[in-house]
Amino acid sequence: LFRSQKLNSAQLESPEELYMALGEDIADQLDLDVFPEDVWRPRRGPSTNFDRYISREVLRKTDTQVVWALDEVDRLFTCPFASEVFALFRTWHNERSLDPTGPWIKLTCLIAYATEAHLFITDVNQSPFNVGTRLELDDFSFEQVSELNTRCGSPLINEGEVARYTRLVGGSPYLVHRGLQEMMNRELDLNAFEADVDRDSGIFGDHLRRMLVLLARDEELSEVVRTILRGKPMQSPTGFYRLRSAGLMVGDSARDVRPRCDLYARYLERHLL
């Protein structure tokens, strides 16, 4: 298991630094004697070096199956080289199919990420997020939010507050859980929590800023969001699919698309309108 929280800013500055960190973590966990820097060749590209390291030094020298879990990889989405990294992961998946007797058949990657992946990767042929087995966590219902509130010590004091909180975060598992934890840890009531929740300096500031940065990279999609926020008819089926898949919007079709929750609506209106 590799948690992206372990990465520092220097390790996110270049693909080489990232691959070195990932490779060293794998070597440590598998008790290997060879580390990436031992076989790294500057004349090769970073992805080629990492690919060769995993293939030759990890998979070919390991007798058992390797299951590599990467948690919160959405932290990489805003890195300028993220497409290169995820394209490499996609290549490994393809290699398993193309060469069933090769080393890649030993590797299974489990990638945990927020739904914003669909904002980041526009070329579906380079995405590791639309292949393999996909497990989605649906939004929590009112009853589930209420139960989680109880398990978190009941920072929401009655059903009315649970309903108000559910409208605010839309049942998003990440937002629901983190918000309840923050209220409990900081001893905030719902009024204090809601006062600055949609601000860059608020509890969800990092999450909201990442969402805005990803949208800013795609002016056409940003314009689609503005159209939705203004309540006008949406003309882009592709934009609808990407925004819904990214978890920013909900709706059964482009005709009834709307922001996933009040939090997103308030934040996007402030920055895009």
Side-chain angles (χ1 to χ4, degrees), residues 5-259:
Q5 301 99 317
K6 295 166 64 175
L7 295 169
N8 58 44
S9 57
Q11 292 166 332
L12 292 173
E13 288 183 354
S14 70
E16 182 170 1
E17 292 297 328
L18 173 64
Y19 289 144
M20 286 286 191
L22 295 175
E24 288 175 5
D25 187 78
I26 291 173
D28 281 336
Q29 293 197 44
L30 295 180
D31 231 2
L32 302 177
D33 295 326
V34 179
F35 287 79
E37 60 265 27
D38 298 328
V39 295
W40 208 265
R41 297 293 180 267
R43 69 177 181 275
R44 300 191 187 111
S47 290
T48 300
N49 269 306
F50 191 55
D51 182 90
R52 288 168 66 91
Y53 175 74
I54 297 297
S55 174
R56 299 185 178 195
E57 304 300 332
V58 177
L59 300 179
R60 292 187 188 276
K61 297 182 179 180
T62 303
D63 296 329
T64 60
Q65 292 289 114
V66 176
V67 179
W68 189 30
L70 298 99
D71 189 25
E72 293 191 10
V73 298
D74 39 298
R75 189 180 175 200
L76 305 179
F77 290 167
T78 53
C79 294
F81 53 84
S83 292
E84 177 182 345
V85 175
F86 291 124
L88 179 61
F89 293 166
R90 171 63 179 260
T91 298
W92 293 348
H93 172 82
N94 294 343
E95 289 289 344
R96 285 169 54 100
S97 302
L98 295 172
D99 186 8
T101 62
W104 298 107
I105 201 67
K106 291 182 181 179
L107 177 66
T108 299
C109 287
L110 307 179
I111 304 177
Y113 63 97
T115 47
E116 289 95 329
H118 291 271
L119 287 179
F120 167 69
I121 297 181
T122 57
D123 185 350
V124 296
N125 296 314
Q126 289 192 333
S127 173
F129 305 112
N130 58 0
V131 293
T133 301
R134 183 174 178 179
L135 302 177
E136 292 189 48
L137 184 60
D138 293 332
D139 280 2
F140 291 152
S141 65
F142 171 86
E143 291 75 19
Q144 290 170 324
V145 175
S146 182
E147 179 181 348
L148 187 57
N149 175 59
T150 301
R151 295 188 181 190
C152 288
S154 298
L156 305 173
I157 61 176
N158 54 46
E159 287 191 358
E161 286 201 353
V162 173
R164 181 172 147 201
Y165 180 73
T166 303
R167 287 193 299 272
L168 178 65
V169 297
S172 163
Y174 165 73
L175 297 179
V176 169
H177 187 235
R178 183 175 175 186
L180 290 173
Q181 282 190 320
E182 292 289 345
M183 279 192 282
M184 210 46 211
N185 293 338
R186 300 188 188 186
E187 298 182 350
L188 300 174
D189 61 21
L190 184 56
N191 288 331
F193 173 83
E194 194 171 8
D196 68 344
V197 70
D198 59 341
R199 302 286 178 177
D200 287 322
S201 59
I203 289 170
F204 298 124
D206 54 346
H207 172 73
L208 296 171
R209 284 193 302 272
R210 184 176 67 232
M211 177 177 68
L212 191 64
V213 166
L214 293 172
L215 277 175
R217 293 180 177 179
D218 191 326
E219 180 54 37
E220 182 179 346
L221 199 61
S222 295
E223 191 56 41
V224 171
V225 173
R226 293 187 187 96
T227 298
I228 295 170
L229 295 174
R230 293 180 179 123
K232 296 181 179 180
M234 184 179 178
Q235 303 297 327
S236 173
T238 301
F240 164 69
Y241 168 75
R242 288 182 61 200
L243 290 168
R244 189 178 66 176
S245 298
L248 269 68
M249 301 289 165
V250 292
D252 295 326
S253 68
R255 295 180 180 178
D256 66 348
V257 65
R258 61 194 182 281

